Amino acid sequence: MAGEEVPGTVKRPAELYETPDAKKAKTDNEPKINPLTEREYSDRYYEILQKRQKLPAWEARKEFLKLIKRNQTVVLVGETGSGKTTQLPQFLLEAGYHMQGDKSKGIACTQPRRVAAMSVAQRVADELDTFLGAHVGYLIRFEDKTSPETILKFLTDGMLLREAMTDPLLTKYSVIILDEAHERTLATDVLFGLIKEVMRRRPDLKLVVMSATMDAQKMQGYFDNAPLLNIPGRTHPVEIFYTSEPERDYLEAAMRTVVQIHNSEPEGDILLFLTGEEEIEQACRQLRKESSRNPENGELVAVPLYSSLPPLQQQRIFEPPPGPRFPGGPPGRKVVVATNIAETSITIDGIVYVVDPGFAKQKVYNPRIRVESLLVSPVSKASAAQRAGRAGRTRPGKCFRLYTEKAFTTELAEQTYPEILRSNLGVVVLTLKKLGIDDLVHFDFLDPPAPETMMRALEMLNFLNHLNDDGDLTDAGDQAAEFPLDPQLAKMLIDSPKFKCSNEMLSISAMLSVPNVFVRPKEFGKEADDAKGRFTHLDGDHLTLLNVFHAYKQYLTEGADPTQFCFDNYINARSMKSAENVREQLKRTMERLNLQMLSTDFRDKEYYPNIRRCLVAGYFMQVAHLEKSNHYLTVRDNQVVALHPSTGITHKPEWVLYHEFVLTSKNFIRTVTQVRGEWLLEIAPSYYDVRNFPKSEARNQLERLQAGKSKPQQPQHQ
Ligand SMILES: Nc1ncnc2c1ncn2[C@@H]1O[C@H](COP(=O)(O)OP(=O)(O)OP(=O)(O)O)[C@@H](O)[C@H]1O
Ligand SMILES: [Mg+2]
């Protein structure tokens, strides 16, 4: 037991938590009591238990408990679907690891993705025959489904990092499981270094690192030669097919392939990998149409899976495929259309065919021009192998790669780069500073980020006044780290009382933190555009978002049905609900930090300008200037950009502030609001010290403004 290693602890009767053997319990007439709920186990419990006991993880149970008893860290690898995520936390619970003496502690299991945290928590709650949110819960950004009772907590790696800010030794937990460690997300990489340090100071803390085979050795070395446990899988061979020619349109090729499989291959579900919500929804619509067009074939049920999908809809991926449409007819088939979430974190049984177009959305960062963007990029060989493996879960399967074999061998990278090597490190540095780690150069990163990227982050935080010139956290920086937001958005909220618009900034921040609120179905494009037009503010998209939020709230206070409002106005109801929730949480953080809730009177002509000034206070580093040649250049970095077609701005303002840089066929800036040159100089004088600017029209114009000679080049909407 875990407690044995802590002096003076009381042993807890292990048999109390021993899972009853499914068969024995069935033959025994004596009812077994669930120690967690103190109720009799339900029939469903035994049903699931029988399935659980067949998972490969169960064979490794004893060995695992032996290793974790003797070692502080255990590295664990195992085939997908072997029961790592769902079973191992339960083994620890049954063995009493949630108790340290008579103190109840928690077992934390991190997940890189929100969806996985939610889905796994639900599954484990079912397996333990308890309610989600009671003994088993999850914690993701802006959603806490745990209670004081929770002892098994599935949380995103980012949330564990946030917990470390207030509880640096992670005293709440007796065991931490870093799941999907090979995914090497930003937060997991920081957690590696952090937990390594915490374990030195807390010999009672246990760590389980779950990883894919190829990274295991590296992790073992990093964690002072931790032992490795390999859970053998029971996967089946997967035959791989390539296209003979490169596909021009991978979406079209994917649709064609799915339909072909459906029409000609034996029974078995399909998993198709696409890159994002919009693409996935479009593909699902198309496949549904296809299915209704051929009633003589079996039904084809398309189920989407992406991170912003609500939990209930996510669960649909586990539903069995439909039966025949008519007696004796061909059986139906399920096709799950997913982002790379389905590549690792979530295992879906019954998949026999995988369609892999070879792309995923990935974050890229260029420190030289300080641009971070999501880019649809080719996957790595490791990813492709992982995707293919998903077809062999229940029986031999097939994987259709929509690229040539030559492209696979010559063009794909061996492995995906860890996120820390391709991200803006602003949040990481702010987090580390808040955690009291000052010596960033000697922080024990598994893969240290490039010095230039680190410098860029320090520089940005210094401009935001989150770090002083010595690199120490300022009071504002300390506050900014409290927000689960990027440092610029946090800065905007912290400064909002000064601009008398905290209420409005809260709404805008919330709207910026949720998936796109505007829906634009292809067949109703014009109607959707008209609807959006009714909310559009000519000064900028941030203000349009605010208008939408206001209209929505207005509707709610009038007691009207918000779903109807959303439907009528081509607004995503889920996003709006989530924005409300996010706003509430951010508001609580602001109140905790004693930041005042203020608004300018709506009739005051400064109402909107104040909001725009406040946007500048956070995002002064994301501004573009209109050149005489009629295109925009980002200030200081001089990148040519264009306003994204989704913008509501119909003219070309001289100065625009943007929320996002989007790299596609060209460089777009998205969510744009017009600002004034004078404001840049007033609000961010150290960044707009034009002496540091490269020669440019923006520089000339700012110099003119500084000299007080200039008139604005174009009329400004105020
Ligand atoms: N929500 C669910 N509904 C039904 N069955 C599930 C659910 N989640 C998991 N399972 C079952 O439990 C098994 C083990 O899943 P688990 O997620 O623990 O595997 P894993 O070893 O963590 O896999 P991976 O490497 O893919 O993360 C799955 O193969 C599946 O049969
Ligand atoms: Mg898992």
Side-chain angles (χ1 to χ4, degrees):
M1 294 205 29
E4 284 175 355
E5 272 146 59
V6 185
T9 54
V10 188
K11 227 171 153 184
R12 193 173 175 88
E15 61 276 18
L16 190 65
Y17 280 85
E18 209 66 70
T19 319
D21 184 285
K23 282 183 221 123
K24 201 172 92 212
K26 280 222 150 155
T27 49
D28 275 1
N29 280 334
E30 234 176 275
K32 289 269 183 185
I33 302 295
N34 184 342
L36 295 176
T37 58
E38 287 167 7
R39 279 193 315 256
E40 243 179 77
Y41 282 118
S42 67
D43 287 345
R44 182 166 150 71
Y45 169 81
Y46 292 106
E47 230 172 81
I48 303 182
L49 182 61
Q50 272 189 334
K51 279 194 204 147
R52 286 176 59 202
Q53 287 175 335
K54 291 194 191 111
L55 290 172
W58 276 67
E59 283 161 34
R61 182 168 180 249
K62 274 217 172 100
E63 180 66 16
F64 169 64
L65 290 175
K66 200 168 88 191
L67 281 177
I68 194 75
K69 187 170 165 183
R70 295 188 186 157
N71 299 278
Q72 198 174 6
T73 306
V74 174
V75 177
L76 202 134
V77 302
E79 290 282 356
T80 165
S82 56
K84 297 184 297 296
T85 311
T86 52
Q87 306 309 305
L88 293 173
Q90 295 188 66
F91 296 162
L92 291 166
L93 177 75
E94 287 153 14
Y97 274 90
H98 59 298
M99 298 301 293
Q100 274 189 350
D102 51 2
K103 266 202 240 126
S104 178
K105 297 243 172 181
I107 298 170
C109 179
T110 64
Q111 294 294 319
R113 298 195 178 88
R114 300 155 52 95
V115 193
M118 292 192 277
S119 152
V120 170
Q122 179 65 61
R123 174 67 179 177
V124 172
D126 289 348
E127 292 188 358
L128 282 169
D129 217 8
T130 171
F131 295 107
L132 181 64
H135 302 90
V136 184
Y138 67 80
L139 176 68
I140 60 180
R141 191 168 80 135
F142 300 126
E143 197 180 338
D144 183 357
K145 194 113 181 120
T146 66
S147 61
E149 269 183 315
T150 304
I151 39 183
L152 211 54
K153 183 145 115 191
F154 292 90
L155 72 178
T156 50
D157 42 12
M159 288 313 288
L160 186 60
L161 210 48
R162 297 207 73 79
E163 288 195 335
M165 285 183 188
T166 45
D167 179 12
L169 289 180
L170 298 164
T171 52
K172 269 195 252 175
Y173 304 110
S174 48
V175 188
I176 290 170
I177 304 170
L178 296 178
D179 200 358
E180 310 283 355
H182 57 272
E183 289 238 347
R184 304 290 308 277
T185 58
L186 211 50
T188 292
D189 266 22
V190 177
L191 283 172
F192 282 150
L194 191 73
I195 294 177
K196 197 170 168 181
E197 188 52 45
V198 171
M199 284 198 302
R200 266 189 211 122
R201 295 200 266 161
R202 270 193 62 193
D204 61 305
L205 179 69
K206 300 280 188 182
L207 174 70
V208 181
V209 181
M210 307 217 237
S211 165
T213 318
M214 57 206 164
D215 303 290
Q217 235 181 348
K218 186 167 177 173
M219 311 264 178
Q220 280 181 281
Y222 178 78
F223 285 107
D224 307 326
N225 296 321
L228 177 77
L229 178 64
N230 194 344
I231 300 183
R234 290 198 202 111
T235 47
H236 303 266
V238 175
E239 205 179 339
I240 303 213
F241 299 89
Y242 293 93
T243 56
S244 51
E245 295 292 321
E247 293 286 353
R248 204 172 296 162
D249 178 347
Y250 70 82
L251 205 56
E252 188 271 326
M255 294 297 98
R256 189 170 11 100
T257 311
V258 168
V259 172
Q260 245 166 33
I261 295 172
H262 184 48
N263 291 344
S264 55
E265 293 283 345
E267 221 173 319
D269 296 329
I270 307 173
L271 174 60
L272 162 62
F273 286 99
L274 290 179
T275 66
E277 171 173 353
E278 236 168 88
E279 212 175 65
I280 289 173
E281 288 295 354
Q282 191 198 327
C284 285
R285 274 198 298 273
Q286 216 169 316
L287 289 170
R288 279 177 208 132
K289 254 193 224 155
E290 199 65 46
S291 173
S292 55
R293 209 177 293 158
N294 297 308
E296 71 283 1
N297 284 355
E299 192 181 346
L300 187 63
V301 173
V303 193
L305 176 66
Y306 45 84
S307 56
S308 56
L309 206 63
L312 214 61
Q313 287 191 45
Q314 282 163 22
Q315 289 298 318
R316 286 192 52 213
I317 57 171
F318 296 111
E319 285 172 10
R325 289 199 222 233
F326 47 89
R333 206 189 290 266
K334 176 171 74 177
V335 46
V336 177
V337 189
T339 58
N340 51 1
I341 292 175
E343 199 175 291
T344 52
S345 326
I346 296 178
T347 308
I348 314 158
D349 289 335
I351 299 290
V352 179
Y353 307 98
V354 164
V355 180
D356 174 19
F359 291 101
K361 255 191 203 154
Q362 284 178 28
K363 204 195 275 177
V364 285
Y365 180 61
N366 180 343
R368 212 138 295 163
I369 55 168
R370 288 175 300 151
V371 167
E372 183 183 81
S373 184
L374 278 177
L375 199 62
V376 172
S377 346
V379 298
S380 64
K381 282 186 188 143
S383 272
Q386 184 69 31
R387 288 179 170 193
R390 299 270 135 178
R393 285 276 304 118
T394 11
R395 61 184 166 88
K398 291 182 179 176
C399 172
F400 299 87
R401 292 185 173 154
L402 304 181
Y403 39 92
T404 61
E405 187 162 12
K406 183 154 176 263
F408 175 81
T409 36
T410 59
E411 288 169 27
L412 299 193
E414 287 301 322
Q415 295 225 16
T416 315
Y417 269 119
E419 197 181 356
I420 200 155
L421 302 184
R422 46 187 176 85
S423 299
N424 170 348
L425 294 182
V427 184
V428 171
V429 172
L430 189 64
T431 308
L432 289 173
K433 291 278 175 181
K434 175 86 177 178
L435 289 166
I437 295 157
D438 284 322
D439 186 3
L440 300 181
V441 178
H442 293 106
F443 185 74
D444 193 358
F445 285 111
L446 187 54
D447 281 299
E452 189 179 2
T453 309
M454 206 55 135
M455 287 311 297
R456 283 299 193 187
L458 289 166
E459 179 194 78
M460 171 178 102
L461 293 171
N462 182 235
F463 279 129
L464 287 171
N465 189 31
H466 290 162
L467 297 181
N468 63 20
D469 292 345
D470 298 328
D472 298 326
L473 205 59
T474 60
D475 289 343
D478 195 67
Q479 288 189 326
E482 296 276 331
F483 288 96
L485 299 174
D486 78 54
Q488 313 187 59
L489 210 50
K491 159 93 166 153
M492 209 172 80
L493 283 179
I494 293 167
D495 281 1
S496 62
K498 274 193 254 165
F499 295 92
K500 292 206 178 57
C501 58
S502 9
N503 291 307
E504 289 73 18
M505 271 353 225
L506 268 177
S507 308
I508 293 175
S509 308
M511 293 290 275
L512 290 171
S513 305
V514 300
N516 188 10
V517 295
F518 298 107
V519 186
R520 196 177 186 281
K522 258 199 183 136
E523 53 277 37
F524 295 107
K526 175 155 183 348
E527 288 85 344
D529 292 342
D530 289 348
K532 188 173 173 189
R534 291 196 286 275
F535 301 107
T536 298
H537 194 297
L538 287 178
D539 276 345
D541 304 325
H542 295 84
L543 306 179
T544 302
L545 288 175
L546 181 66
N547 285 346
V548 173
F549 191 79
H550 281 163
Y552 177 83
K553 287 303 264 187
Q554 177 76 32
Y555 237 73
L556 280 185
T557 36
E558 283 166 9
D561 176 10
T563 339
Q564 189 62 42
F565 166 82
C566 293
F567 183 80
D568 292 344
N569 291 289
Y570 293 86
I571 300 281
N572 184 330
R574 250 188 286 132
S575 291
M576 291 310 298
K577 243 192 127 39
S578 157
E580 265 190 289
N581 173 27
V582 171
R583 188 182 190 281
E584 211 35 57
Q585 306 221 20
L586 294 177
K587 185 166 167 230
R588 257 180 261 150
T589 308
M590 284 188 74
E591 284 166 351
R592 192 155 42 80
L593 299 174
N594 286 324
L595 294 166
Q596 270 186 302
M597 290 299 146
L598 298 174
S599 280
T600 307
D601 187 331
F602 189 67
R603 288 156 302 186
D604 192 321
K605 70 174 182 16
E606 292 302 309
Y607 180 82
Y608 285 114
N610 278 348
I611 295 170
R612 287 157 56 207
R613 284 190 189 97
C614 187
L615 288 171
V616 171
Y619 283 92
F620 53 85
M621 279 176 268
Q622 295 187 184
V623 170
H625 180 255
L626 182 66
E627 305 288 289
K628 290 205 188 77
S629 56
N630 208 29
H631 59 254
Y632 282 98
L633 274 192
T634 59
V635 296
R636 285 186 74 158
D637 301 313
N638 285 356
Q639 296 298 301
V640 180
V641 290
L643 304 185
H644 193 269
S646 65
T647 186
I649 294 184
T650 46
H651 59 304
K652 278 195 157 179
E654 184 184 356
W655 301 95
V656 288
L657 168 152
Y658 59 91
H659 187 66
E660 266 179 300
F661 198 103
V662 186
L663 284 168
T664 49
S665 47
K666 59 181 181 183
N667 297 340
F668 285 112
I669 48 178
R670 184 161 60 193
T671 313
V672 178
T673 286
Q674 79 158 319
V675 295
R676 300 176 59 116
E678 296 88 327
W679 296 349
L680 302 173
L681 296 168
E682 274 163 36
I683 297 170
S686 63
Y687 188 79
Y688 283 90
D689 182 346
V690 287
R691 286 169 305 182
N692 299 330
F693 275 46
K695 274 206 178 338
S696 61
E697 288 175 35
R699 175 177 170 157
N700 296 344
Q701 186 59 11
L702 288 167
E703 276 171 343
R704 244 174 270 144
L705 287 172
Q706 221 158 21
K709 286 186 223 146
S710 167
K711 300 269 173 300
Q713 286 183 340
Q714 290 180 15
Q716 301 272 324
H717 296 261
Q718 286 247 345

